[in-house]
């Protein structure tokens, strides 16, 4: 009962934090003069990915179960993003715009994000088979350099998009400005930090509640890290994408997810290569292959120039359900 109460209390905190964050990040992107793709893929994605990055960082410092928790958290986050999170966003679009509505993200930026993610994540998959030693550190440095290259290319593309009139728009005033705090210096940053703090606090409540439920359900440490921890830390923060897609800000919605995929598909595996055993197993290989399949499904639709509709995104959610089925029989 206590665990359920914690989970219920955390939900409104996350929702309020997500509202503050999405509103503020649009104003920050507009202030920097960047495109909506950069606002979603870099500013929003990195901002919401930082809290769950702390989980594998801290867990990797503890041997044994801590290392398994770190590996599970590293691989569970991109799995969730490429499957269930896209499914939730599709459900939000279905509810607000209809099942056959056409979603209109900026395709060039989304293609770029997915290409970088798939390339870097496949390198991370190959890293599972490297022997212990300096090659792992070299491989990790390649992944870090890859993310740096992605950021550079994304910022360069932003300048062209802004020149073409695709800068970040701000259709709504800052919430703090509506409350009379608009003249305070740094009000955008204050609201951004308040929103992020609310998301983190609510996510921590989810973690606490789920950790208490885990032993009662008889869940192993690795499965807990692959499934429950990302649901608690990643999914609540990606409510931002559901909010944006309901407001027809599709570029921001998709960029928030695809940018986080690149971040967590490169920098976190680099951490795994450096601080954990990072060895192949049937479960880890299945996790990474399902993740690649989820991102690949979206990339294939873009390549074929098919209109993206909510039911396409729901198919990614079904892929996550299939993975859960695999866990039950494995």
């Amino acid at each position: 009962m206590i665990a359920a109460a914690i989970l219920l209390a955390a939900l409104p905190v996350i929702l309020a934090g997500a509202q503050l964050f999405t509103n503020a990040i649009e104003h920050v992107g507009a202030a920097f003069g960047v495109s909506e793709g950069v606002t979603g893929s870099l500013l929003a994605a990195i901002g919401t990915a930082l809290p769950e990055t702390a989980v594998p960082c801290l867990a990797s410092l503890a041997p044994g179960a801590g290392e398994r928790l770190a590996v599970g958290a590293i691989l569970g986050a991109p799995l969730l993003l490429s499957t269930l999170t896209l499914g939730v966003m599709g459900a939000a679009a279905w509810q607000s715009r209809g099942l056959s509505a056409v979603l209109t993200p900026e395709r060039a930026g989304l293609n770029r994000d997915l290409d970088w993610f798939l390339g870097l994540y496949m390198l991370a998959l190959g890293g599972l088979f490297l022997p212990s030693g300096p090659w792992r550190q070299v491989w990790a440095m390649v992944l870090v350099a890859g993310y740096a290259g992605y950021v550079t290319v994304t910022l360069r593309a932003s300048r062209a998009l802004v020149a073409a009139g695709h800068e970040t728009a701000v259709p709504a005033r800052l919430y703090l400005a509506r409350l009379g705090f608009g003249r305070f210096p740094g009000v955008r940053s204050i609201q951004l930090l308040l929103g992020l703090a609310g998301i983190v606090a609510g996510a921590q409540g989810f973690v606490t509640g789920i950790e208490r439920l885990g032993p009662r359900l008889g869940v192993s440490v690795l499965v807990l890290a692959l499934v429950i921890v990302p649901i608690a830390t990643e999914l609540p923060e990606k409510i931002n994408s559901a909010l944006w897609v309901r407001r027809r800000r599709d570029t921001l919605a998709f960029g928030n997810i695809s940018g986080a995929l690149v971040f967590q598909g490169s920098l976190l595996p680099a951490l795994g290569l450096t601080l954990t055993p990072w060895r192949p197993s049937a479960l880890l290989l299945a996790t990474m292959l399902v993740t690649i399949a989820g991102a690949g499904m979206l990339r294939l639709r873009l390549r074929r120039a098919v209109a993206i509709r909510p039911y396409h995104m729901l198919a990614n959610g079904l892929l996550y359900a299939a993975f859960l089925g695999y866990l039950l029989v494995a």
Side-chain angles (χ1 to χ4, degrees):
M1 292 296 293
I2 295 177
I6 293 174
L7 290 173
L8 291 175
L11 183 58
V13 176
I14 292 169
L15 291 173
Q19 287 281 4
L20 287 171
F21 184 88
T22 54
N23 176 252
I25 203 70
E26 292 173 5
H27 284 263
V28 171
F32 279 114
V34 297
S35 68
E36 281 199 343
V38 168
T39 300
S41 297
L42 294 183
L43 300 181
I46 294 175
T48 56
L50 289 177
E52 52 271 3
T53 302
V55 175
C57 285
L58 295 174
S60 62
L61 300 177
E67 291 177 341
R68 292 194 296 274
L69 178 60
V71 172
I74 288 169
L75 297 182
L79 166 71
L80 194 83
L81 286 169
S82 71
T83 55
L84 182 59
T85 305
L86 287 173
V88 169
M89 194 172 74
W94 178 14
Q95 189 276 329
S96 61
R97 296 155 64 172
L99 187 60
S100 60
V102 176
L103 306 181
T104 57
E106 195 271 304
R107 286 184 172 242
L110 185 55
N111 279 332
R112 180 180 60 250
D113 286 2
L114 292 173
D115 287 343
W116 277 91
F117 165 70
L118 289 169
L120 292 171
Y121 200 67
M122 288 179 184
L123 285 177
L125 174 61
L128 287 173
F129 300 94
L130 287 175
S132 299
W135 277 111
R136 286 178 173 265
Q137 281 66 47
V138 172
W139 212 255
M141 291 174 62
V142 170
L143 291 173
V144 173
Y147 186 75
Y150 160 74
V151 171
T152 301
V153 170
T154 301
L155 291 175
R156 286 177 180 171
S158 171
R159 288 194 287 269
L161 288 170
V162 170
H166 296 288
E167 69 276 5
T168 302
V170 284
R173 291 178 63 200
L174 277 170
Y175 290 136
L176 290 185
R178 297 179 195 178
L179 297 175
F181 298 101
R183 296 182 179 179
F184 280 64
V187 65
R188 287 188 299 263
S189 299
I190 293 172
Q191 181 174 313
L192 188 71
L193 292 174
L194 286 174
L196 189 57
I199 292 171
V200 172
Q204 183 58 49
F206 261 81
V207 171
T208 301
I210 290 177
E211 281 179 343
R212 295 191 179 191
L213 287 176
R216 297 182 182 181
L217 299 175
V219 179
S220 71
V221 171
L222 183 56
V223 172
L224 186 78
L226 281 171
V227 178
I228 300 180
V229 171
I231 287 177
T233 60
E234 185 75 56
L235 187 59
E237 294 166 11
K238 290 303 176 280
I239 289 175
N240 301 324
S241 288
L243 296 174
W244 271 320
V245 84
R246 287 175 59 86
R247 292 164 47 195
R248 300 179 183 270
R249 307 295 297 278
D250 295 342
T251 296
L252 287 171
F254 278 89
N256 188 32
I257 293 174
S258 61
L261 272 172
V262 184
F263 181 90
Q264 297 183 349
S266 57
L267 298 186
L268 293 191
L271 179 70
L273 279 162
T274 305
L275 299 178
T276 74
W278 202 252
R279 290 188 293 267
S281 69
L283 179 55
L284 295 186
L285 288 173
T287 301
M288 297 186 80
L289 291 174
V290 170
T291 301
I292 291 170
M297 285 166 57
L298 179 57
R299 183 64 182 89
L300 187 60
R301 295 182 199 114
L302 292 168
R303 183 177 181 180
R304 293 179 175 176
V306 176
I308 302 175
R309 303 181 189 275
Y311 58 79
H312 291 140
M313 317 308 295
L314 294 175
N316 287 71
L318 293 176
L319 189 61
Y320 186 78
F323 176 76
L324 294 182
Y326 165 77
L327 290 181
L328 292 175
V329 300

